[in-house]
């Protein structure tokens, strides 16, 4: 393992994370950066905090380390890891979704989408209030995006 | 589209901004029933959920369910009836009559368990065909209608040539070429000849089409299966070595060879992964599954897999295949439902809540498809 290539990731807080290349290329964004030769010193990730970046690296590591076999044990283990991984509070989830979208990690992104979908799914009318609260942030995303769009167009 | 992150997280006022395609992908994972409710959250979501692209993307990710009619004499509140009698069809609360009524249910299967959902719609006569989540049915008064039980959108359909119910068969198919849903009505006229007519659900008018050649269909026991704009029929039971196909754009009935003879009443043609499959009982212990692959306009039957059990599996009627082809669901008369796992090669009984004593059931999908909403051509 000591001879495998490592990549340095420098994030928003200025912290540096050193990861094995095989883990670092899980995010497609980083893979492309390496291919394009932008990764000579360290890869800058200015929009991701340490907390989120370490979580993402943890997930990539786990998925890289688990052999891609069809063994039931390996699959079940990975499944329970994923299940615990997304048991985060809403704030962390939201930051995760943005980071993972930027880094372009398909598997993890789908997992988070599914988690949010499950939060919305199957609410009875009594839970409609709760759902609207959850959806308020999604709704305000649209409002936010629209406002930013108009702002940029100076309308 | 670049995301615009907000650094401060989880204070009650500040929320992150998600891009449209993220919301699209999240909503795509929800069942149609929830999406109908969610389309009322705000105008943007209403537009997104009802957009043809979303509806089509959602439909292509849908798992099949089983839909059936069952008698029920309970009159529950908020029940809708399709048996409107004032000419224009709307769903409304029926009068408090205690007569037994046929209600629509759907049964979905997950992890070897089944869940029956009451769709809260009564007043049915019979269910005839399904396509992309749309249901062709008759109401108690005998009127033909097309509805989506999830969105509750209902459209009456002008009836074609009237014949007794056992002398006709309906096919329901989507034409990719003309972007419209069509009905194919096969009927036995009083001379014993088979006639056919087609209705476009866009123009709502019936027209004749090339009649199937004499003797092509032995009976209408088998309902047609629609795959990518083509309808397929098994022409009868007992020693059948061909199947009939009809491309909805060409409107001609063609005789084609089956890979193996169909000898039993439980053999079925079935759609899966946009291909036609043939499920045939070969021996008491063996069922074969074949797929029709088209290679440069020529159809070739390929044996997909064989189900080999060490106990008697006659009496198993295939009902549908899971979207990815991993499972095949079978019904054993009125007793049980079985799920065959193709990868594990295991046949397991599915626990069913309620009983299976319904006569007519059709494979169905819970989608948001409506007649007005055909997806745009790419």
């Amino acid at each position: 393992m000591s001879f495998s290539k490592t990549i340095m990731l420098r994030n928003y807080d200025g912290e540096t994370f050193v990861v094995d290349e095989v883990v670092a290329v899980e995010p497609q964004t980083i893979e492309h950066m390496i291919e394009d030769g932008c990764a000579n010193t360290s890869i800058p990730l200015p929009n991701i905090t340490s907390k989120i970046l370490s979580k993402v690296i943890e997930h990539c590591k786990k998925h890289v380390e688990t052999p891609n076999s069809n063994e039931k044990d390996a699959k079940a283990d990975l499944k329970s890891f994923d299940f615990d991984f997304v048991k985060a509070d809403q704030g962390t989830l939201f930051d995760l979704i943005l980071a993972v979208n930027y880094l372009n990690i398909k598997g993890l992104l789908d997992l988070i989408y599914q988690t949010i979908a499950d939060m919305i799914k199957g609410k009875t009318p009594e839970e409609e209030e709760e759902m609207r609260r959850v959806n308020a942030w999604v709704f305000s995303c649209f409002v936010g995006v629209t406002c930013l769009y108009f702002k940029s167009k100076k309308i | 589209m670049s995301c615009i992150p907000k650094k401060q997280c989880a204070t009650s006022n500040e929320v992150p901004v998600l891009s449209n395609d993220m919301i699209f992908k999240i909503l795509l994972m929800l069942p149609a029933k929830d999406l109908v409710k969610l389309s009322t959250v705000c105008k943007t979501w209403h537009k997104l959920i009802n957009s043809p692209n979303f509806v089509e993307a959602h439909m292509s990710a849908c798992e099949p369910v089983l839909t059936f009619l069952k008698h029920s004499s309970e009159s529950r509140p908020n029940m809708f009836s399709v048996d409107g009698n004032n000419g224009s069809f709307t769903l409304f609360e029926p009068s408090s009559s205690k007569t037994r009524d046929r209600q629509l249910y759907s049964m979905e299967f997950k992890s070897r368990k089944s869940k029956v959902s009451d769709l809260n719609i009564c007043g049915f006569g019979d269910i005839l065909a399904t396509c992309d989540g749309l249901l062709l049915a008759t109401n108690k008064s005998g009127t033909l209608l097309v509805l989506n039980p999830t969105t509750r959108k209902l459209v009456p359909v002008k009836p074609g040539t009237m014949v007794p119910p056992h002398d006709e068969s309906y096919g329901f198919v989507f034409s990719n070429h003309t972007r419209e849903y069509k009905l194919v009505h096969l009927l036995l006229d009083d001379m014993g000849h088979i006639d056919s007519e087609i209705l476009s659900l866009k123009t709502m008018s019936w027209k004749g089409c090339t009649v199937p050649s004499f003797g092509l269909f032995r009976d209408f026991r088998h309902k047609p299966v629609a795959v990518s704009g083509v309808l397929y029929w098994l022409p009868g039971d007992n020693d059948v070595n061909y199947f009939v196909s009809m491309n909805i754009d060409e409107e001609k009935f063609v005789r084609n060879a089956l890979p193996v003879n169909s000898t039993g009443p439980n053999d079925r043609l079935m759609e899966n992964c946009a291909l036609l499959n043939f499920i045939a009982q070969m021996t008491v212990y063996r069922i074969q599954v074949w797929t029709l692959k088209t290679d440069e306009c020529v159809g070739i039957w390929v044996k997909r897999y064989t189900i080999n059990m060490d106990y008697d599996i006659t009496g198993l009627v295939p009902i549908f295949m899971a979207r990815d082809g991993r499972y095949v669901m079978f019904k054993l008369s009125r007793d049980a439902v079985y799920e065959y796992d193709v990868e594990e090669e295991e046949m397991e009984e599915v626990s069913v809540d309620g009983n299976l004593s319904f006569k007519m059931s059709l494979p169905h999908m819970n989608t948001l498809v409506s007649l007005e909403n055909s997806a745009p051509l790419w």
Side-chain angles (χ1 to χ4, degrees):
Chain A
M1 266 313 211
S2 52
F3 292 121
S4 66
K5 196 165 165 215
T6 58
I7 303 287
M8 279 208 315
L9 306 170
R10 186 184 293 277
N11 76 341
Y12 164 74
D13 301 328
E15 260 188 71
T16 324
F17 289 77
V18 180
V19 284
D20 289 328
E21 185 175 3
V22 64
V23 173
V25 296
E26 276 288 289
Q28 288 238 297
T29 309
I30 297 184
E31 188 183 15
H32 294 153
M33 282 183 177
I34 295 175
E35 280 171 9
D36 294 343
C38 307
N40 293 322
T41 50
S42 62
I43 295 182
L45 300 169
N47 49 355
I48 304 177
T49 62
S50 298
K51 177 182 171 199
I52 298 301
L53 187 54
S54 54
K55 267 207 98 128
V56 170
I57 292 172
E58 184 194 337
H59 190 271
C60 294
K61 247 190 184 163
K62 179 74 183 183
H63 277 252
V64 163
E65 281 164 10
T66 309
N68 199 12
S69 67
N70 273 328
E71 287 175 29
K72 280 192 173 165
D73 288 342
K75 271 188 164 175
D77 178 47
L78 208 55
K79 210 168 175 188
S80 88
F81 172 82
D82 282 345
F83 186 71
D84 292 331
F85 188 81
V86 289
K87 270 194 194 160
D89 60 282
Q90 271 188 21
T92 314
L93 261 182
F94 301 165
D95 287 333
L96 257 178
I97 202 179
L98 296 169
V100 176
N101 184 55
Y102 173 74
L103 291 169
N104 198 353
I105 311 172
K106 190 173 185 310
L108 182 51
L109 204 53
D110 287 343
L111 175 65
I112 301 178
Y113 286 157
Q114 186 65 63
T115 310
I116 298 176
D118 291 340
M119 277 158 58
I120 303 177
K121 199 190 285 192
K123 299 285 187 190
T124 64
E126 289 76 54
E127 294 171 302
E128 196 82 21
E129 196 59 51
E130 232 275 284
M131 184 181 81
R132 263 195 233 109
R133 192 179 62 78
V134 168
N135 287 326
W137 65 262
V138 179
F139 167 56
S140 46
C141 297
F142 271 101
V143 175
V145 169
T146 321
C147 287
L148 280 158
Y149 173 76
F150 284 119
K151 201 170 170 191
S152 69
K153 296 278 173 187
K154 294 200 170 60
I155 292 167
Chain B
M1 193 168 182
S2 66
C3 61
I4 311 149
K6 287 214 173 162
K7 305 290 187 348
Q8 312 311 317
C9 46
T11 64
S12 52
N13 296 322
E14 300 239 18
V15 286
V17 175
L18 291 194
S19 61
N20 293 6
D21 43 271
M22 277 199 224
I23 310 265
F24 187 101
K25 286 181 184 155
I26 293 173
L27 292 180
L28 217 52
M29 294 181 167
L30 294 167
K33 198 166 46 119
D34 289 338
L35 288 169
V36 170
K37 283 192 235 168
L38 289 173
S39 69
T40 59
V41 163
C42 64
K43 275 190 191 171
T44 320
W45 278 30
H46 187 267
K47 194 169 170 202
L48 173 71
I49 291 170
N50 289 305
S51 69
N53 296 339
F54 184 83
V55 171
E56 179 157 350
H58 183 263
M59 181 182 81
S60 44
C62 268
E63 281 291 345
V65 297
L66 201 65
T67 191
F68 56 93
L69 291 178
K70 228 163 117 162
H71 278 293
S72 174
S73 46
E74 322 165 17
S75 71
R76 274 190 307 287
N78 303 320
M79 176 75 73
F80 290 97
S81 169
V82 296
D83 197 24
N85 57 6
N86 56 358
S88 64
F89 287 93
T90 50
L91 302 181
F92 68 93
E93 261 181 88
S95 56
S96 56
S97 66
K98 298 289 183 198
T99 55
R100 281 166 64 84
D101 210 340
R102 283 180 150 185
Q103 289 174 23
L104 193 66
Y105 294 84
S106 88
M107 187 187 284
E108 52 190 284
F109 302 93
K110 200 173 178 184
S111 322
R112 304 227 171 108
K113 285 206 238 348
S114 75
K115 187 173 144 225
V116 176
S117 309
D118 181 354
L119 298 175
N120 237 9
I121 313 174
C122 68
F124 284 95
D126 212 349
I127 49 175
L128 302 167
T130 62
C131 184
D132 294 348
L134 295 171
L135 181 68
L136 175 72
T138 52
N139 65 8
K140 273 197 296 198
S141 320
T143 316
L144 205 56
L145 34 93
V146 167
L147 81 147
N148 182 326
T150 310
T151 64
R152 302 275 175 88
K153 285 193 183 152
L154 184 153
V155 169
V157 174
K158 196 171 83 171
T161 312
M162 309 287 259
V163 288
H166 59 265
D167 287 343
E168 62 179 358
S169 151
Y170 283 94
F172 196 165
V173 63
F174 182 68
S175 161
N176 271 303
H177 186 65
T178 57
R179 313 301 300 174
E180 55 185 335
Y181 285 96
K182 288 189 170 170
L183 298 177
V184 175
H185 186 204
L186 286 180
L187 49 128
L188 203 61
D189 66 18
D190 18 337
M191 308 277 276
H193 296 140
I194 296 191
D195 206 354
S196 61
E197 51 191 10
I198 296 184
L199 174 94
S200 151
L201 283 163
K202 203 182 241 178
T203 62
M204 285 298 185
S205 61
W206 286 99
K207 67 175 180 81
C209 67
T210 323
V211 164
S213 52
F214 186 74
L216 194 63
F217 287 95
R218 292 189 203 169
D219 55 49
F220 293 142
R221 228 192 132 257
H222 287 277
K223 286 193 173 288
V225 168
V227 181
S228 308
V230 184
L231 281 170
Y232 298 96
W233 290 260
L234 275 176
D237 294 328
N238 289 327
D239 274 332
V240 169
N241 61 359
Y242 68 95
F243 65 100
V244 182
S245 71
M246 193 255 226
N247 184 315
I248 198 64
D249 298 316
E250 289 161 24
E251 297 184 8
K252 280 203 279 276
F253 293 89
V254 180
R255 184 185 167 123
N256 311 277
L258 279 171
V260 286
N261 281 11
S262 168
T263 49
N266 296 336
D267 294 345
R268 291 288 185 272
L269 289 173
M270 202 155 280
E271 184 273 341
N272 187 239
C273 304
L275 293 171
L276 180 70
N277 293 267
F278 178 51
I279 303 182
Q281 185 110 43
M282 303 305 294
T283 70
V284 164
Y285 307 107
R286 195 181 326 143
I287 291 177
Q288 277 183 358
V289 178
W290 296 77
T291 305
L292 185 68
K293 305 221 158 146
T294 38
D295 180 26
E296 291 177 348
C297 300
V298 176
I300 304 169
W301 282 105
V302 172
K303 197 197 298 187
R304 204 158 152 188
Y305 50 86
T306 309
I307 300 176
N308 271 312
M309 292 287 131
D310 50 13
Y311 50 86
D312 190 332
I313 51 175
T314 52
L316 283 181
V317 181
I319 34 182
F320 60 77
M321 299 166 84
R323 193 175 54 85
D324 56 7
R326 167 96 191 243
Y327 303 99
V328 186
M329 309 299 295
F330 292 91
K331 189 161 164 265
L332 183 67
S333 67
R334 293 180 178 199
D335 301 333
V337 173
Y338 287 85
E339 177 191 271
Y340 180 73
D341 185 329
V342 177
E343 237 167 84
E344 302 293 323
E345 295 182 352
E346 283 170 3
M347 183 82 78
E348 295 277 348
E349 186 168 349
V350 171
S351 68
V352 174
D353 61 350
N355 61 36
L356 295 163
S357 59
F358 40 83
K359 252 196 296 184
M360 187 59 212
S361 67
L362 291 170
H364 177 59
M365 288 194 289
N366 292 321
T367 68
L368 300 166
V369 171
S370 69
L371 289 177
E372 313 94 53
N373 219 349
S374 307
L377 269 170
W378 289 109

